[in-house]
Amino acid sequence: MELFESLVKKIKGKNKKIVFPEGNDVRVVKAAVRLAEDKLVSSLVLGTEDDVKRLAGISELPEGMSVIDVPSYPKDKFEEMVAAFVDRRKGKNTAEQARNMLKDVNYFGTMLVYLGVADGLVSGAVHPTGDTVRPALQIIKTKPGTTRTSGAFVMTRNDEKYLFADCAININPNEQELAEIAVESIQTARLFDIDPKVALLSFSTKGSAKSDEVTKVAKATALAKELAPNEQIDGELQFDAAFVESVAAKKAPDSKVAGKANVFVFPELQSGNIGYKIAQRFGGFEAVGPILQGLNKPISDLSRGANEDDVYKVAIITALQATL
């Protein structure tokens, strides 16, 4: 709760508008209503006003909440969106294809973000990850100098806060992509008031083992230091060397990060996904995320197992990303 109280203070009064494409889901609708009532964000829900009111159990929409029924969207505005989509796709889709694609609420909602009608998007309570991420990559696209988006989790327990990445998107990132994930994770960490000390993890510490997997992490570390020369980044480090000072003193005595790391970059998705879930289930950490990194504008992907509170929290994070 302390974490989100801090985030709320950062977005209060910023009036960021977040679009929720899944206006047919009770969890999403109730969270959108709460956010508007709490005056944290302006909620824009895609659906019919009657359905939204019925699902939320309200007779009137609260101030700061609006609804767009995609099939009833004014034709002139829809055609403007079609033209902008075709231009953004640079000939990869015809106008007719764009019209069909924009009937999909995730494509429609992502275009609202691209056009500046909304500041960010939260989806995924009903749709699989690909349905949220694909429009984001095609329309919003990654930041200059970033080739991939990635997914981070903030892990919290009492007053402890750490960032884990990538635990959601990239199955086997190459050394360049791994370096970019490390650098993007620095910015995400600072959103949550984590002073980033980044460890690129491996089963080896400073050459204690030899393999292609170890070489990838070592090269990624060197690239990350080139991309962000003023940041505290080190690797390759085993988790105990990254986290435990007494182990770091033996395995990496010259490292400024070893034993003090609070941002952990996993070498591939398998270990990242397993790692955050072990911390969550065995360690009692709350996993906040996934937080999508590397996009030009914030798009957030929910778990389909998310509850109303999860939607509420992810929307707060998305609004915070939109303040950058």
Side-chain angles (χ1 to χ4, degrees):
M1 285 304 297
E2 286 182 12
L3 171 66
F4 277 90
E5 286 170 8
S6 168
L7 302 186
V8 163
K9 289 177 183 176
K10 292 182 180 182
I11 66 167
K12 198 89 170 179
K14 298 291 176 63
N15 197 34
K16 294 299 178 181
K17 181 173 283 189
I18 304 300
V19 58
F20 299 88
E22 298 166 322
N24 58 347
D25 186 275
V26 64
R27 299 164 294 173
V28 172
V29 169
K30 286 190 172 182
V33 169
R34 279 175 58 198
L35 288 157
E37 288 178 339
D38 292 346
K39 294 181 169 39
L40 297 182
V41 305
S42 294
S43 299
L44 174 54
V45 179
L46 303 187
T48 68
E49 192 166 319
D50 286 345
D51 282 347
V52 168
K53 289 177 180 176
R54 176 179 57 79
L55 289 169
I58 56 177
S59 57
E60 296 294 333
L61 297 178
E63 184 181 350
M65 183 175 183
S66 55
V67 177
I68 292 178
D69 180 26
V70 175
S72 302
Y73 199 59
K75 185 173 176 54
D76 57 337
K77 289 186 177 180
F78 186 76
E79 287 303 316
E80 288 175 10
M81 184 182 285
V82 167
F85 181 86
V86 171
D87 180 65
R88 183 62 165 166
R89 295 289 290 147
K90 299 188 186 305
K92 292 178 182 176
N93 295 109
T94 65
E96 190 55 39
Q97 287 172 329
R99 290 185 189 97
N100 287 326
M101 293 168 79
L102 288 169
K103 291 175 184 176
D104 179 287
V105 290
N106 282 309
Y107 273 97
F108 188 95
T110 303
M111 278 302 294
L112 292 178
V113 177
Y114 173 65
L115 295 171
V117 177
D119 298 295
L121 175 145
V122 174
S123 189
V126 177
H127 297 87
T129 293
D131 288 0
T132 302
V133 174
R134 192 177 307 109
L137 292 176
Q138 292 176 351
I139 300 166
I140 303 300
K141 301 188 179 181
T142 55
K143 297 175 184 175
T146 303
T147 57
R148 294 287 187 98
T149 186
S150 56
F153 283 84
V154 175
M155 309 299 295
T156 68
R157 185 179 65 184
N158 300 323
D159 60 351
E160 296 176 83
K161 284 187 291 188
Y162 307 102
L163 190 85
F164 286 12
D166 176 4
C167 304
I169 304 293
N170 296 287
I171 294 174
N172 190 22
N174 62 33
E175 58 203 49
Q176 177 66 38
E177 292 160 352
L178 200 57
E180 291 172 7
I181 291 166
V183 173
E184 283 296 320
S185 297
I186 290 169
Q187 182 170 283
T188 304
R190 289 199 169 109
L191 280 177
F192 292 88
D193 297 322
I194 297 171
D195 182 19
K197 298 175 182 62
V198 183
L200 283 85
L201 298 177
S202 175
F203 60 85
S204 167
T205 297
K206 300 297 184 180
S208 64
K210 306 293 183 186
S211 78
D212 290 344
E213 291 83 359
V214 172
T215 300
K216 180 181 83 167
V217 177
K219 288 183 175 179
T221 302
L223 286 170
K225 289 179 177 180
E226 288 178 15
L227 292 170
N230 297 320
E231 301 291 351
Q232 297 187 67
I233 302 169
D234 204 3
E236 86 282 10
L237 295 170
Q238 292 164 284
F239 182 80
D240 57 354
F243 189 64
V244 181
E245 288 193 28
S246 60
V247 177
K250 295 174 183 176
K251 292 187 174 183
D254 297 327
S255 174
K256 294 181 180 179
V257 170
K260 305 178 183 70
N262 51 22
V263 176
F264 301 95
V265 178
F266 291 84
E268 31 67 36
L269 181 60
Q270 185 165 242
S271 58
N273 190 269
I274 292 168
Y276 99 80
K277 288 181 177 177
I278 287 175
Q280 183 183 35
R281 302 300 178 179
F282 278 8
F285 280 83
E286 180 182 0
V288 178
I291 302 156
L292 293 189
Q293 308 179 139
L295 293 167
N296 280 309
K297 293 187 178 184
I299 304 292
S300 294
D301 176 42
L302 297 161
S303 163
R304 278 177 283 176
N307 59 33
E308 176 190 330
D309 209 41
D310 293 329
V311 181
Y312 183 89
K313 289 178 177 178
V314 169
I316 289 171
I317 293 168
T318 308
L320 180 58
Q321 287 179 295
T323 64
L324 295 178

